[in-house]
Amino acid sequence: MNEEMKSLQKNETWELVECPPRKKPIGCRWIYTVKYKADGSIERFKARLVAKGYTQAYGIDYTETFAPVAKINTVRVLLSLVVNLDWPLQQFDVKNAFLHGELSEEVYMDLPPGCIVSEKQCQKVCKLKKSLYGLKQSSRAWFGRFTKSMRAFDYRQSNSDHTLFLKKQHGKITALIVYVDDMVVTGNDPKERKALQNYLSKEFEMKDLGPLKYFLGIEVSRSSEGIFLSQRKYALDLLQETGMLGCQPVNTPIEEGLKLCVEPNQVSTDKGRY
């Protein structure tokens, strides 16, 4: 929590002000999560301050909420190029990505639980200058900020998939695809990849995760024979969430349906009913 608050203050996410008349500040809360690696082991414990975006009012606290997501077909094409041309696959993660988005709307928020301020400031509220997790417009604001930075570094945004950014120079190409705060970089220009990494590290707080291991719920394993993709962890997480981890597999859904029994007095001869 202390680490999160330091990041928020460093980023100048808000300023303390008197709440204007007729303005209702939204609430916020702490969310605690455990981040896991692809093999299921614990990577780190995380605390995040999240705004209660469900209390926002359209046209007052927010307008647009849309932000594009990476298309699976684009990911497939990139992976195909990587295998056939023997390109490297590098993954970056932006720390507190949504906090970098710049707000165009006027949004006020209650003081975070546990936030220590002086007695004079305890009646004040936070006027948000940057986006925060939980806000309805946070993903759109972050993506807008990221796009602006990539264009400033001479990258072209693909028309077919706005999450794909390309740069061609000296007969070489570098490609970056982003999904929320996860980025995958590939290409045949090692100098440009290093320059891009240095540039993004200055623009945002970024972490180099090394060779791609896990993206969009897909485990990626690379060898001399090619790339092996698996969704084992994703499927197991899904079964655990739905309480179906101990279920028995069947070949087809209809096979399970045939096991259902119907009492004779429940059967109807009406057309279209069974």
Side-chain angles (χ1 to χ4, degrees):
M1 288 168 70
N2 289 333
E3 201 175 303
E4 175 81 348
M5 286 299 293
K6 284 178 184 176
S7 293
L8 294 169
Q9 289 165 358
K10 182 182 176 182
N11 195 48
E12 297 181 352
T13 309
W14 62 66
E15 60 178 338
L16 294 181
V17 298
E18 297 286 345
C19 189
R22 299 179 186 175
K23 283 284 184 180
K24 187 176 180 182
I26 61 173
C28 58
R29 57 174 296 194
W30 287 99
I31 298 289
Y32 307 101
T33 54
V34 181
K35 300 289 282 187
Y36 294 94
K37 297 179 182 177
D39 61 4
S41 60
I42 294 174
E43 182 182 348
R44 67 184 187 276
F45 296 96
K46 200 170 185 178
R48 174 166 284 162
L49 184 69
V50 177
K52 295 181 180 179
Y54 57 84
T55 61
Q56 288 181 266
Y58 179 77
I60 298 175
D61 299 317
Y62 74 98
T63 50
E64 292 184 56
T65 60
F66 172 80
V69 294
K71 295 178 181 177
I72 193 64
N73 286 341
T74 308
V75 177
R76 286 173 179 159
V77 170
L78 277 183
L79 291 177
S80 178
L81 287 171
V82 165
V83 172
N84 287 291
L85 301 175
D86 195 28
W87 286 355
L89 266 176
Q90 195 173 2
Q91 187 171 19
F92 300 141
D93 174 73
V94 178
K95 190 177 180 182
N96 293 326
F98 283 11
L99 306 185
H100 295 285
E102 295 167 355
L103 289 179
S104 56
E105 302 88 356
E106 201 172 304
V107 183
Y108 296 89
M109 184 184 77
D110 290 330
L111 289 171
C115 178
I116 300 172
V117 295
S118 65
E119 191 175 340
K120 291 180 180 179
Q121 294 180 319
C122 63
Q123 298 300 319
K124 292 187 177 182
V125 296
C126 303
K127 182 182 180 181
L128 297 181
K129 297 161 67 178
K130 305 282 182 69
S131 62
L132 195 67
Y133 285 88
L135 290 179
K136 291 184 180 292
Q137 67 268 51
S138 57
S139 58
R140 188 260 304 160
W142 147 246
F143 189 76
R145 170 78 172 82
F146 179 75
T147 300
K148 186 179 176 182
S149 296
M150 289 299 289
R151 286 176 175 169
F153 203 58
D154 298 326
Y155 272 76
R156 183 176 60 84
Q157 195 173 16
S158 170
N159 290 326
S160 58
D161 188 338
H162 288 180
T163 64
L164 177 65
F165 296 86
L166 302 164
K167 188 173 187 178
K168 298 177 185 177
Q169 58 180 5
H170 313 304
K172 295 183 178 181
I173 187 169
T174 304
L176 178 147
I177 193 165
V178 59
Y179 182 82
V180 188
D181 55 356
D182 282 329
M183 302 172 197
V184 177
V185 180
T186 187
N188 58 353
D189 191 343
K191 287 185 178 179
E192 174 57 30
R193 286 200 310 275
K194 188 63 181 176
L196 176 63
Q197 182 179 351
N198 292 337
Y199 170 72
L200 290 176
S201 295
K202 290 176 183 176
E203 289 287 304
F204 314 104
E205 253 187 288
M206 202 178 67
K207 186 162 58 175
D208 183 3
L209 300 180
L212 180 63
K213 299 290 184 186
Y214 196 70
F215 186 66
L216 289 177
I218 303 170
E219 293 173 64
V220 180
S221 178
R222 192 167 189 178
S223 69
S224 56
E225 297 179 2
I227 292 178
F228 178 75
L229 305 178
S230 168
Q231 286 190 293
R232 180 179 178 275
K233 182 181 181 299
Y234 175 76
L236 288 173
D237 288 346
L238 205 59
L239 288 170
Q240 189 168 5
E241 272 186 41
T242 54
M244 299 287 286
L245 199 56
C247 68
Q248 297 299 316
V250 292
N251 291 331
T252 61
I254 198 168
E255 183 182 327
E256 182 64 27
L258 291 173
K259 295 177 184 178
L260 299 175
C261 296
V262 182
E263 294 295 327
N265 61 359
Q266 292 180 318
V267 177
S268 171
T269 56
D270 293 348
K271 187 177 180 181
R273 296 177 62 196
Y274 300 91

